[in-house]
């Protein structure tokens, strides 16, 4: 095992949604150390300018690199759309994101060629999924921005009549378009699979960008010889630009048995 392989995996998200990626990474790579940074002070990213999202994301990724990580995971779909090319040029280590792995899985899973994407407004505007699926022959993409979903999740709400009404509003046009596969194009959305499946029905295959990202990370580390194969004692660190106590409380509620102590990262000053 090389010295480079000894570092932790750095996972970045705008808030809590990336915890679904962290959980998937732990399942796929149980012998790895993790550092998670959630930019809750400036979340949500989905309704902000792409230039601002790029600036915030790179600031947080820079901090993770300074911690000695061996690989970066951009768990935020908006952050991936805004910074992926820059990040791969900026850092001399593997960078894995959520868009391309989910697009590849959806293209392979669809039976009728109609793939839906639900995401934030900034991800929709970037057309990252349209571009990623554009090379798939015979695939039609139907995209819907779901701006209310992230605030529901970050308030700890994953059910109830208000959420169901929002889901019906966002998802009915996709159902009417005849999609048979849906990309959950925000890492918060796997926490809403119950209500999403309730609206769309069991015949629509849900593709989690969180799960597909973790699978891609496994392949990337194993191919590069950077994965820990043998069982070992691992560590997990959690950082937030917001309030650590609030992050810890909501994180434990949304993804039980994942969160350890949460520390403050002094970055994260939002533009006025």
């Amino acid at each position: 095992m090389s010295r480079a392989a000894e570092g932790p995996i750095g996972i970045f998200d705008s808030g809590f949604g990336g915890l679904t990626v962290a959980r998937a990474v732990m399942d796929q790579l149980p012998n790895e150390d993790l550092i998670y940074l959630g930019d809750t002070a400036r979340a949500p990213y989905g309704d902000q300018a792409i230039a601002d999202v790029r600036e915030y994301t790179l600031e947080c990724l820079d901090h993770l690199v300074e911690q000695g990580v061996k690989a970066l995971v951009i768990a935020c779909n908006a952050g991936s759309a805004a910074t992926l090319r820059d990040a791969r040029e900026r850092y001399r280590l593997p960078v894995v994101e959520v868009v391309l792995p989910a697009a590849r899985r959806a293209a392979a899973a669809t039976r009728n060629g109609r793939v839906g994407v639900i995401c934030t407004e900034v991800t929709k505007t970037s057309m990252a999924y349209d571009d990623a699926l554009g090379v798939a022959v015979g695939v039609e993409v139907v995209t819907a921005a779901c701006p209310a979903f992230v605030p529901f999740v970050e308030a700890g709400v994953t059910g109830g009549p208000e959420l169901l009404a929002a889901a019906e509003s966002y998802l009915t046009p996709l159902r009417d378009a005849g999609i048979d596969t849906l990309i959950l194009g925000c890492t918060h959305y796997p926490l809403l699979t119950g209500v999403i499946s309730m609206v769309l029905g069991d015949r629509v295959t849900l593709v989690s960008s969180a799960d597909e990202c973790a699978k891609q990370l496994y392949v990337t580390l194993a191919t590069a010889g950077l994965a820990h194969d043998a069982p070992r004692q691992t560590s997990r660190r959690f950082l937030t630009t917001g309030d650590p106590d609030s992050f810890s409380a909501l994180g434990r509620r949304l993804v039980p048995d994942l969160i350890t102590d949460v520390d403050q990262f002094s970055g994260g000053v939002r533009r006025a």
Side-chain angles (χ1 to χ4, degrees):
M1 183 67 65
S2 69
R3 184 176 179 182
E6 293 301 320
I9 296 166
I11 302 176
F12 163 73
D13 188 64
S14 61
F16 297 94
L19 294 174
T20 60
V21 176
R23 167 55 70 191
V25 168
M26 287 178 59
D27 291 341
Q28 292 283 332
L29 295 156
N31 302 316
E32 301 294 340
D33 301 320
L34 304 179
I35 301 180
Y36 181 99
L37 172 53
D39 190 11
T40 53
R42 297 181 291 205
Y45 280 10
D47 58 355
Q48 299 191 53
I50 289 179
D52 289 344
V53 171
R54 177 184 178 277
E55 178 185 337
Y56 302 158
T57 300
L58 290 176
E59 178 189 6
C60 291
L61 294 177
D62 284 348
H63 183 68
L64 288 173
V65 171
E66 290 169 2
Q67 306 308 300
V69 299
K70 66 180 178 183
L72 285 170
V73 177
I74 309 176
C76 175
N77 279 260
S80 294
T83 66
L84 179 59
R85 182 175 299 176
D86 294 312
R88 286 184 169 158
E89 293 177 354
R90 189 181 185 101
Y91 309 116
R92 293 186 175 182
L93 62 150
V95 179
V96 177
E97 47 81 47
V98 287
V99 174
L100 287 175
R104 284 196 294 266
R105 176 62 185 140
T110 183
R111 304 174 301 279
N112 67 7
R114 294 175 186 158
V115 174
V117 179
I118 55 173
C119 56
T120 64
E121 190 62 52
V122 71
T123 301
K124 180 180 179 181
T125 300
S126 75
M127 298 189 70
Y129 280 101
D130 298 78
D131 292 342
L133 287 162
V135 298
V137 177
V139 172
E140 175 187 352
V141 183
V142 185
T143 305
C146 305
F149 277 177
V150 169
F152 272 119
V153 170
E154 301 218 337
V157 178
T158 56
E162 291 185 4
L163 175 58
L164 179 59
E168 289 276 7
S169 175
Y170 295 144
L171 300 175
T172 297
L174 299 181
R175 184 182 61 202
D176 293 346
I179 67 165
D180 73 350
T181 304
L182 179 71
I183 296 174
L184 307 180
C186 174
T187 50
H188 290 69
Y189 296 173
L191 297 164
L192 302 177
T193 52
V195 70
I196 291 169
S197 292
M198 184 176 178
V199 174
L200 291 179
D202 293 337
R203 294 187 177 182
V204 175
T205 300
L206 302 185
V207 175
S208 166
S209 58
D211 289 343
E212 299 308 317
C213 174
K215 292 175 187 176
Q216 183 59 52
L217 178 64
Y218 178 93
V219 172
T220 298
L221 294 185
T223 301
L226 296 176
H228 286 285
D229 299 322
R232 57 188 291 273
Q233 187 71 35
T234 60
S235 66
R236 304 196 301 270
R237 290 181 56 204
F238 294 87
L239 306 172
T240 180
T241 57
D243 177 61
D245 291 337
S246 297
F247 186 97
S248 179
L250 184 53
R252 286 190 169 99
R253 177 178 174 184
L254 294 174
V255 188
D257 302 322
L258 176 66
I259 303 292
T260 55
D261 293 337
V262 180
D263 296 319
Q264 177 82 48
F265 167 48
S266 59
V269 178
R270 187 168 185 169
R271 288 184 180 276

